[in-house]
PDB file of all heavy atoms in Angstrom:
ATOM      1  N   ILE M   4     114.394 113.172 109.198  1.00 93.00           N
ATOM      2  CA  ILE M   4     113.605 111.907 109.333  1.00 93.00           C
ATOM      3  C   ILE M   4     114.083 111.143 110.604  1.00 93.00           C
ATOM      4  O   ILE M   4     115.315 110.878 110.760  1.00 93.00           O
ATOM      5  CB  ILE M   4     113.692 111.005 108.111  1.00 93.00           C
ATOM      6  CG1 ILE M   4     113.323 111.745 106.833  1.00 93.00           C
ATOM      7  CG2 ILE M   4     112.844 109.746 108.222  1.00 93.00           C
ATOM      8  CD1 ILE M   4     113.709 111.049 105.542  1.00 93.00           C
ATOM      9  N   VAL M   6     113.190 107.471 112.406  1.00 94.00           N
ATOM     10  CA  VAL M   6     112.395 106.251 112.440  1.00 94.00           C
ATOM     11  C   VAL M   6     112.738 105.603 113.785  1.00 94.00           C
ATOM     12  O   VAL M   6     113.896 105.295 113.995  1.00 94.00           O
ATOM     13  CB  VAL M   6     112.778 105.388 111.212  1.00 94.00           C
ATOM     14  CG1 VAL M   6     112.019 104.016 111.306  1.00 94.00           C
ATOM     15  CG2 VAL M   6     112.516 106.111 109.921  1.00 94.00           C
ATOM     16  N   LEU M  24     116.137 104.518 112.490  1.00 93.00           N
ATOM     17  CA  LEU M  24     117.023 105.188 111.547  1.00 93.00           C
ATOM     18  C   LEU M  24     116.861 106.696 111.772  1.00 93.00           C
ATOM     19  O   LEU M  24     115.801 107.229 111.985  1.00 93.00           O
ATOM     20  CB  LEU M  24     116.696 104.784 110.122  1.00 93.00           C
ATOM     21  CG  LEU M  24     117.532 105.329 108.952  1.00 93.00           C
ATOM     22  CD1 LEU M  24     118.783 104.592 108.919  1.00 93.00           C
ATOM     23  CD2 LEU M  24     116.700 105.065 107.697  1.00 93.00           C
ATOM     24  N   PHE M  34     120.093 102.610  99.976  1.00 91.00           N
ATOM     25  CA  PHE M  34     119.498 101.392 100.569  1.00 91.00           C
ATOM     26  C   PHE M  34     119.867 100.103  99.624  1.00 91.00           C
ATOM     27  O   PHE M  34     119.605 100.172  98.506  1.00 91.00           O
ATOM     28  CB  PHE M  34     118.076 101.508 100.854  1.00 91.00           C
ATOM     29  CG  PHE M  34     117.724 102.355 102.043  1.00 91.00           C
ATOM     30  CD1 PHE M  34     117.793 103.788 101.796  1.00 91.00           C
ATOM     31  CD2 PHE M  34     117.311 101.984 103.209  1.00 91.00           C
ATOM     32  CE1 PHE M  34     117.543 104.677 102.882  1.00 91.00           C
ATOM     33  CE2 PHE M  34     117.035 102.804 104.268  1.00 91.00           C
ATOM     34  CZ  PHE M  34     117.147 104.151 104.074  1.00 91.00           C
ATOM     35  N   GLU M  44     109.616  98.322 102.057  1.00 92.00           N
ATOM     36  CA  GLU M  44     108.632  98.634 103.158  1.00 92.00           C
ATOM     37  C   GLU M  44     109.007  99.818 103.953  1.00 92.00           C
ATOM     38  O   GLU M  44     108.223 100.619 104.332  1.00 92.00           O
ATOM     39  CB  GLU M  44     108.351  97.345 104.032  1.00 92.00           C
ATOM     40  CG  GLU M  44     107.473  96.285 103.349  1.00 92.00           C
ATOM     41  CD  GLU M  44     108.291  95.417 102.424  1.00 92.00           C
ATOM     42  OE1 GLU M  44     109.574  95.638 102.201  1.00 92.00           O
ATOM     43  OE2 GLU M  44     107.687  94.533 101.822  1.00 92.00           O
ATOM     44  N   LEU M  45     110.325  99.930 104.248  1.00 94.00           N
ATOM     45  CA  LEU M  45     110.832 100.950 105.060  1.00 94.00           C
ATOM     46  C   LEU M  45     110.647 102.310 104.409  1.00 94.00           C
ATOM     47  O   LEU M  45     110.150 103.282 104.904  1.00 94.00           O
ATOM     48  CB  LEU M  45     112.364 100.771 105.381  1.00 94.00           C
ATOM     49  CG  LEU M  45     113.069 101.913 106.197  1.00 94.00           C
ATOM     50  CD1 LEU M  45     112.329 102.122 107.532  1.00 94.00           C
ATOM     51  CD2 LEU M  45     114.525 101.581 106.400  1.00 94.00           C
ATOM     52  N   LEU M  46     111.027 102.334 103.021  1.00 94.00           N
ATOM     53  CA  LEU M  46     110.893 103.582 102.322  1.00 94.00           C
ATOM     54  C   LEU M  46     109.328 103.929 102.203  1.00 94.00           C
ATOM     55  O   LEU M  46     109.049 105.136 102.280  1.00 94.00           O
ATOM     56  CB  LEU M  46     111.535 103.419 100.894  1.00 94.00           C
ATOM     57  CG  LEU M  46     112.963 103.322 100.740  1.00 94.00           C
ATOM     58  CD1 LEU M  46     113.500 103.544  99.396  1.00 94.00           C
ATOM     59  CD2 LEU M  46     113.697 104.235 101.752  1.00 94.00           C
ATOM     60  N   LYS M  47     108.519 103.028 101.912  1.00 92.00           N
ATOM     61  CA  LYS M  47     107.165 103.235 101.858  1.00 92.00           C
ATOM     62  C   LYS M  47     106.515 103.698 103.143  1.00 92.00           C
ATOM     63  O   LYS M  47     105.623 104.571 103.113  1.00 92.00           O
ATOM     64  CB  LYS M  47     106.354 102.041 101.295  1.00 92.00           C
ATOM     65  CG  LYS M  47     106.539 101.785  99.801  1.00 92.00           C
ATOM     66  CD  LYS M  47     105.828 100.700  99.195  1.00 92.00           C
ATOM     67  CE  LYS M  47     106.044 100.574  97.721  1.00 92.00           C
ATOM     68  NZ  LYS M  47     105.388  99.432  97.029  1.00 92.00           N
ATOM     69  N   SER M  48     107.028 103.185 104.193  1.00 93.00           N
ATOM     70  CA  SER M  48     106.569 103.640 105.570  1.00 93.00           C
ATOM     71  C   SER M  48     106.866 105.120 105.787  1.00 93.00           C
ATOM     72  O   SER M  48     106.119 105.934 106.226  1.00 93.00           O
ATOM     73  CB  SER M  48     107.202 102.830 106.664  1.00 93.00           C
ATOM     74  OG  SER M  48     106.814 101.538 106.561  1.00 93.00           O
ATOM     75  N   ILE M  49     108.127 105.479 105.389  1.00 93.00           N
ATOM     76  CA  ILE M  49     108.580 106.839 105.586  1.00 93.00           C
ATOM     77  C   ILE M  49     107.727 107.808 104.631  1.00 93.00           C
ATOM     78  O   ILE M  49     107.433 108.929 105.058  1.00 93.00           O
ATOM     79  CB  ILE M  49     110.140 107.019 105.242  1.00 93.00           C
ATOM     80  CG1 ILE M  49     110.896 106.162 106.308  1.00 93.00           C
ATOM     81  CG2 ILE M  49     110.521 108.446 105.247  1.00 93.00           C
ATOM     82  CD1 ILE M  49     112.402 106.067 105.979  1.00 93.00           C
ATOM     83  N   ALA M  50     107.379 107.248 103.522  1.00 91.00           N
ATOM     84  CA  ALA M  50     106.555 108.102 102.539  1.00 91.00           C
ATOM     85  C   ALA M  50     105.108 108.235 102.894  1.00 91.00           C
ATOM     86  O   ALA M  50     104.339 108.836 102.284  1.00 91.00           O
ATOM     87  CB  ALA M  50     106.624 107.517 101.133  1.00 91.00           C
ATOM     88  N   GLY M  51     104.749 107.470 104.009  1.00 88.00           N
ATOM     89  CA  GLY M  51     103.352 107.557 104.467  1.00 88.00           C
ATOM     90  C   GLY M  51     102.406 106.606 103.731  1.00 88.00           C
ATOM     91  O   GLY M  51     101.169 106.754 103.827  1.00 88.00           O
ATOM     92  N   ILE M  52     102.992 105.683 102.994  1.00 89.00           N
ATOM     93  CA  ILE M  52     102.150 104.688 102.226  1.00 89.00           C
ATOM     94  C   ILE M  52     101.792 103.515 102.983  1.00 89.00           C
ATOM     95  O   ILE M  52     100.785 102.964 102.839  1.00 89.00           O
ATOM     96  CB  ILE M  52     102.912 104.392 100.908  1.00 89.00           C
ATOM     97  CG1 ILE M  52     103.228 105.586 100.080  1.00 89.00           C
ATOM     98  CG2 ILE M  52     102.155 103.324 100.115  1.00 89.00           C
ATOM     99  CD1 ILE M  52     104.190 105.362  98.927  1.00 89.00           C
ATOM    100  N   ILE M  60     107.251 107.193 113.126  1.00 92.00           N
ATOM    101  CA  ILE M  60     108.103 107.896 112.115  1.00 92.00           C
ATOM    102  C   ILE M  60     107.810 109.431 112.197  1.00 92.00           C
ATOM    103  O   ILE M  60     106.654 109.835 112.068  1.00 92.00           O
ATOM    104  CB  ILE M  60     107.818 107.370 110.617  1.00 92.00           C
ATOM    105  CG1 ILE M  60     108.094 105.837 110.603  1.00 92.00           C
ATOM    106  CG2 ILE M  60     108.521 108.155 109.658  1.00 92.00           C
ATOM    107  CD1 ILE M  60     107.684 105.169 109.313  1.00 92.00           C
ATOM    108  N   ILE M  62     108.809 113.236 110.713  1.00 90.00           N
ATOM    109  CA  ILE M  62     109.464 114.107 109.694  1.00 90.00           C
ATOM    110  C   ILE M  62     109.284 115.540 110.095  1.00 90.00           C
ATOM    111  O   ILE M  62     108.208 116.014 110.463  1.00 90.00           O
ATOM    112  CB  ILE M  62     108.814 113.829 108.296  1.00 90.00           C
ATOM    113  CG1 ILE M  62     109.147 112.459 107.786  1.00 90.00           C
ATOM    114  CG2 ILE M  62     109.293 114.948 107.275  1.00 90.00           C
ATOM    115  CD1 ILE M  62     108.548 112.051 106.489  1.00 90.00           C
ATOM    116  N   ILE M  67     104.185 111.433 111.161  1.00 86.00           N
ATOM    117  CA  ILE M  67     103.344 111.413 109.955  1.00 86.00           C
ATOM    118  C   ILE M  67     102.103 110.593 109.997  1.00 86.00           C
ATOM    119  O   ILE M  67     101.305 110.754 109.121  1.00 86.00           O
ATOM    120  CB  ILE M  67     104.183 111.007 108.740  1.00 86.00           C
ATOM    121  CG1 ILE M  67     104.745 109.616 108.856  1.00 86.00           C
ATOM    122  CG2 ILE M  67     105.376 111.972 108.460  1.00 86.00           C
ATOM    123  CD1 ILE M  67     105.325 108.954 107.609  1.00 86.00           C
ATOM    124  N   TYR M  68     101.973 109.718 110.939  1.00 85.00           N
ATOM    125  CA  TYR M  68     100.760 108.890 111.019  1.00 85.00           C
ATOM    126  C   TYR M  68      99.815 109.368 112.080  1.00 85.00           C
ATOM    127  O   TYR M  68      98.886 108.570 112.477  1.00 85.00           O
ATOM    128  CB  TYR M  68     101.104 107.486 111.174  1.00 85.00           C
ATOM    129  CG  TYR M  68     101.709 106.836 109.896  1.00 85.00           C
ATOM    130  CD1 TYR M  68     103.106 106.589 109.940  1.00 85.00           C
ATOM    131  CD2 TYR M  68     100.974 106.497 108.863  1.00 85.00           C
ATOM    132  CE1 TYR M  68     103.758 106.033 108.782  1.00 85.00           C
ATOM    133  CE2 TYR M  68     101.580 105.999 107.700  1.00 85.00           C
ATOM    134  CZ  TYR M  68     102.952 105.784 107.749  1.00 85.00           C
ATOM    135  OH  TYR M  68     103.579 105.200 106.519  1.00 85.00           O
ATOM    136  N   THR M  83     106.988 114.644 101.522  1.00 91.00           N
ATOM    137  CA  THR M  83     107.716 113.443 100.891  1.00 91.00           C
ATOM    138  C   THR M  83     107.122 113.189  99.554  1.00 91.00           C
ATOM    139  O   THR M  83     105.919 113.418  99.277  1.00 91.00           O
ATOM    140  CB  THR M  83     107.610 112.188 101.665  1.00 91.00           C
ATOM    141  OG1 THR M  83     106.236 111.876 101.898  1.00 91.00           O
ATOM    142  CG2 THR M  83     108.288 112.238 103.056  1.00 91.00           C
ATOM    143  N   ILE M 162     111.830 115.884 100.714  1.00 94.00           N
ATOM    144  CA  ILE M 162     112.393 114.600 100.795  1.00 94.00           C
ATOM    145  C   ILE M 162     111.792 113.756  99.658  1.00 94.00           C
ATOM    146  O   ILE M 162     110.614 113.765  99.320  1.00 94.00           O
ATOM    147  CB  ILE M 162     111.847 113.846 102.088  1.00 94.00           C
ATOM    148  CG1 ILE M 162     112.373 114.704 103.321  1.00 94.00           C
ATOM    149  CG2 ILE M 162     112.383 112.449 102.236  1.00 94.00           C
ATOM    150  CD1 ILE M 162     111.567 114.355 104.559  1.00 94.00           C
ATOM    151  N   LEU M 164     111.871 109.784  98.027  1.00 95.00           N
ATOM    152  CA  LEU M 164     112.219 108.369  98.290  1.00 95.00           C
ATOM    153  C   LEU M 164     112.073 107.626  96.906  1.00 95.00           C
ATOM    154  O   LEU M 164     111.058 107.811  96.229  1.00 95.00           O
ATOM    155  CB  LEU M 164     111.257 107.745  99.305  1.00 95.00           C
ATOM    156  CG  LEU M 164     111.335 108.534 100.651  1.00 95.00           C
ATOM    157  CD1 LEU M 164     109.995 109.247 100.871  1.00 95.00           C
ATOM    158  CD2 LEU M 164     111.681 107.712 101.835  1.00 95.00           C
ATOM    159  N   LEU M 195     116.381 109.287  99.621  1.00 95.00           N
ATOM    160  CA  LEU M 195     116.615 107.889 100.034  1.00 95.00           C
ATOM    161  C   LEU M 195     116.344 106.997  98.833  1.00 95.00           C
ATOM    162  O   LEU M 195     115.253 106.993  98.263  1.00 95.00           O
ATOM    163  CB  LEU M 195     115.627 107.547 101.144  1.00 95.00           C
ATOM    164  CG  LEU M 195     116.011 107.939 102.641  1.00 95.00           C
ATOM    165  CD1 LEU M 195     116.232 109.385 102.697  1.00 95.00           C
ATOM    166  CD2 LEU M 195     114.975 107.434 103.617  1.00 95.00           C
TER     167      LEU M 195
END
Side-chain angles (χ1 to χ4, degrees):
Chain M
I4 303 170
V6 177
L24 184 74
F34 285 74
E44 283 80 0
L45 176 59
L46 293 196
K47 286 184 176 174
S48 295
I49 296 170
I52 298 170
I60 299 173
I62 290 178
I67 57 162
Y68 290 104
T83 57
I162 302 164
L164 305 111
L195 276 58

